[in-house]
Amino acid sequence: MEPLQPIRGTKDIIGEDQRRHAHVIATARATAATYGFDEWATPIFEDTRVFARTLGDTSDVVTKEMYTFLDRGGDSVTLRPENTAGICRALVSNSLTQSLPQKIFYAGPMFRYERPQTGRYRQFNQIGAELIGPSEPLADAEIIALGWDILTVLGISHEVVLELNTLGDAESRTAYRAALIAHFTAYRNELSPDSQERLEKNPLRILDSKDPKDRAFVEQAPTIAPFLTESAGAFYNSVKRHLVQLKIPFIENPRIVRGLDYYSHTAFEFVTTRLGAQGTVMAGGRYDGLVAGMGGPPTPAVSWAAGVERLAMLLAEAPPAPRPVAVIPLGEMTEPTALNILQALRRAGIRAEIAYRGNLKRRMERANKIGARAAIIIGDDELANNVATVRDFSSGAQTQIALDDLPAHLAEK
Ligand code: ATP
Ligand code: MG
């Protein structure tokens, strides 16, 4: 029988890969906790309307990338392509819209039907932070600072550039939108078919186009700056001032609009040049109207999401494989003692494994293969004296240790 393969665009995360992923997630989780964020887990599939209504009908995600299907009951469900919509749905479902602010961290798989390549998968993992409630620029600065801190603790902040933009308030955007329509309409027939459609529905989105056909027209497009209202301009200036205060370096990029429809004011991306076209590792901004779109009251919020695979690839080194101690019983008579030793070591938080079979030589080879830092050998002599022979693989030293002292002796320095 031909062996089955993982579905295109999905992959198994094992060994070094897994350690990289786990390190990214654990680092983000711990850093988010220092900012007072709590972790939420929402279902990985939702009523299709959770995404279709909120992400906007011109986003690539909604028009091309969703895994949507009818379940056996005939309901349309969608594997979540991102988690902000699900978090907002959960905020409303759990009647938390009056308990603000909510500061939410999440980590988990997302699903998008995309063309798979390095750093782009059909099932991938995101970490993310949502700060729901505050409308102050301070919140925008805090959410960006959290992202920056995570990248710093991961040791990759020097690999990325923070690109910042504002999408203004509704009034600014209406004026800007008109200017964009005027600009792009002049080239209507030369735009990609997608952008021709965006021209009708959401011209800002053209700025986010990845189609080479659109590039030249995007470069010549007007920027939002002259269209910002006074208060939108002041908001943006506050965010920038806070970032300067925090010594978080950034550049302004007026082309950043983000892929989804629900943003306003701050939009930002942390970008690296090391991953080719998949250079955005973390992206976010301020969104209004999304909670309202879920049936809640109008609620301001600001957030980001980051791709775990892309962050994991940027880590200079994978976290080292853990090194267990290997317990080696010689003969069936010694197995009960070996079991007790294992139990005591594990209860002391020490990673301990037993070599199940073979003579001393075979079992020592096995201990080596699993990268053991020490072997604990129990033969008949040791049993008689209530000791074990401990061989330290890094020093080569071999000593006899009383059984009761093993956990203390083997505690990792
Ligand atoms: P891109 O421009 O790369 O398509 P996006 O704008 O669609 O990204 P977002 O929806 O903002 O991405 O998602 C946030 C982050 O999630 C991205 O910056 C990226 O790191 C990661 N990400 C998005 N799509 C994928 C994917 N298909 N595979 C792996 N990571 C992804
Ligand atoms: Mg995308």
Side-chain angles (χ1 to χ4, degrees):
M1 198 181 76
E2 208 180 301
L4 296 171
Q5 297 298 324
I7 289 182
R8 190 167 133 79
T10 71
K11 62 175 185 157
D12 305 309
I13 304 170
I14 297 172
E16 182 188 312
D17 245 5
Q18 157 62 14
R19 290 198 299 279
R20 285 175 179 267
H21 277 241
H23 178 62
V24 168
I25 294 168
T27 301
R29 181 178 281 136
T31 309
T34 66
Y35 280 72
F37 281 66
D38 289 324
E39 188 159 354
W40 286 16
T42 61
I44 62 167
F45 64 115
E46 297 267 2
D47 186 319
T48 298
R49 290 171 294 183
V50 167
F51 309 109
R53 270 191 197 165
T54 55
L55 305 190
D57 56 1
T58 57
S59 71
D60 278 354
V61 170
V62 171
T63 55
K64 298 183 201 142
E65 297 174 359
M66 291 206 310
Y67 277 94
T68 297
F69 55 95
L70 294 180
D71 70 10
R72 287 169 193 272
D75 293 323
S76 179
V77 300
T78 295
L79 302 185
R80 63 183 186 191
E82 55 93 53
N83 208 10
T84 297
I87 295 282
C88 291
R89 197 270 310 137
L91 183 86
V92 176
S93 308
N94 291 278
S95 310
L96 292 169
T97 56
Q98 301 307 320
S99 315
L100 301 176
Q102 289 288 334
K103 300 160 83 172
I104 303 139
F105 172 79
Y106 64 82
M110 308 296 156
F111 305 83
R112 297 183 190 181
Y113 192 79
E114 304 210 61
R115 195 167 69 77
Q117 48 201 296
T118 311
R120 190 175 295 285
Y121 312 96
R122 290 181 173 175
Q123 174 172 339
F124 61 101
N125 292 278
Q126 278 184 345
I127 47 172
E130 310 280 335
L131 179 40
I132 304 179
S135 56
E136 289 76 10
L138 201 54
D140 305 53
E142 273 227 303
I143 204 91
I144 293 173
L146 169 57
W148 175 253
D149 281 0
I150 292 170
L151 297 169
T152 304
V153 179
L154 288 173
I156 57 183
S157 56
H158 63 287
E159 303 272 12
V160 301
V161 173
L162 168 58
E163 301 190 2
L164 190 67
N165 191 23
T166 179
L167 304 176
D169 50 17
E171 194 185 331
S172 321
R173 263 194 322 283
T174 304
Y176 184 41
R177 196 187 138 97
L180 287 177
I181 292 176
H183 169 75
F184 286 118
T185 301
Y187 311 103
R188 177 191 293 270
N189 297 328
E190 292 162 83
L191 295 173
S192 68
D194 280 345
S195 287
Q196 292 185 24
E197 199 187 323
R198 293 175 185 126
L199 190 51
E200 309 295 330
K201 293 182 174 166
N202 187 352
L204 255 82
R205 177 56 52 64
I206 301 176
L207 300 178
D208 197 39
S209 169
K210 294 194 177 69
D211 196 312
K213 272 177 113 173
D214 298 329
R215 197 160 301 152
F217 310 115
V218 168
E219 269 161 30
Q220 295 156 21
T223 66
I224 198 169
F227 303 97
L228 290 179
T229 60
E230 206 180 310
S231 68
F235 189 103
Y236 188 40
N237 284 335
S238 291
V239 175
K240 289 189 282 186
R241 247 194 341 269
H242 294 324
L243 294 178
V244 170
Q245 175 68 25
L246 290 167
K247 298 195 173 62
I248 298 173
F250 63 89
I251 61 166
E252 293 180 69
N253 178 352
R255 303 290 169 231
I256 291 200
V257 293
R258 309 289 313 112
L260 307 173
D261 273 352
Y262 48 63
Y263 289 96
S264 61
H265 287 296
T266 314
F268 61 92
E269 296 189 357
F270 287 93
V271 183
T272 175
T273 51
R274 262 188 48 200
L275 301 175
Q278 280 59 251
T280 305
V281 293
M282 182 181 279
R286 175 166 281 284
Y287 56 88
D288 294 333
L290 187 48
V291 175
M294 295 297 169
T299 308
V302 59
S303 75
W304 52 255
V308 175
E309 284 76 7
R310 295 184 194 179
L311 293 173
M313 280 190 282
L314 286 182
L315 293 180
E317 277 173 43
R323 301 190 63 187
V325 299
V327 175
I328 300 183
L330 298 175
E332 235 173 276
M333 287 284 288
T334 63
E335 282 181 359
T337 303
L339 280 174
N340 288 133
I341 293 172
L342 285 164
Q343 191 175 52
L345 292 173
R346 289 165 180 167
R347 285 180 178 170
I350 295 167
R351 187 178 177 113
E353 297 187 57
I354 186 163
Y356 292 101
R357 66 157 74 131
N359 58 20
L360 179 60
K361 182 162 174 282
R362 278 276 316 269
R363 295 198 206 209
M364 288 299 264
E365 283 166 3
R366 173 79 199 144
N368 235 307
K369 206 172 157 202
I370 62 173
R373 59 189 169 97
I376 301 176
I377 304 156
I378 316 138
D380 293 338
D381 288 349
E382 282 87 354
L383 205 57
N385 295 316
N386 248 337
V387 296
T389 298
V390 175
R391 183 184 298 176
D392 182 319
F393 284 124
S394 13
S395 67
Q398 192 153 306
T399 41
Q400 302 237 306
I401 305 289
L403 293 185
D404 286 345
D405 295 341
L406 281 172
H409 181 76
L410 287 157
E412 283 191 80
K413 282 121 216 159

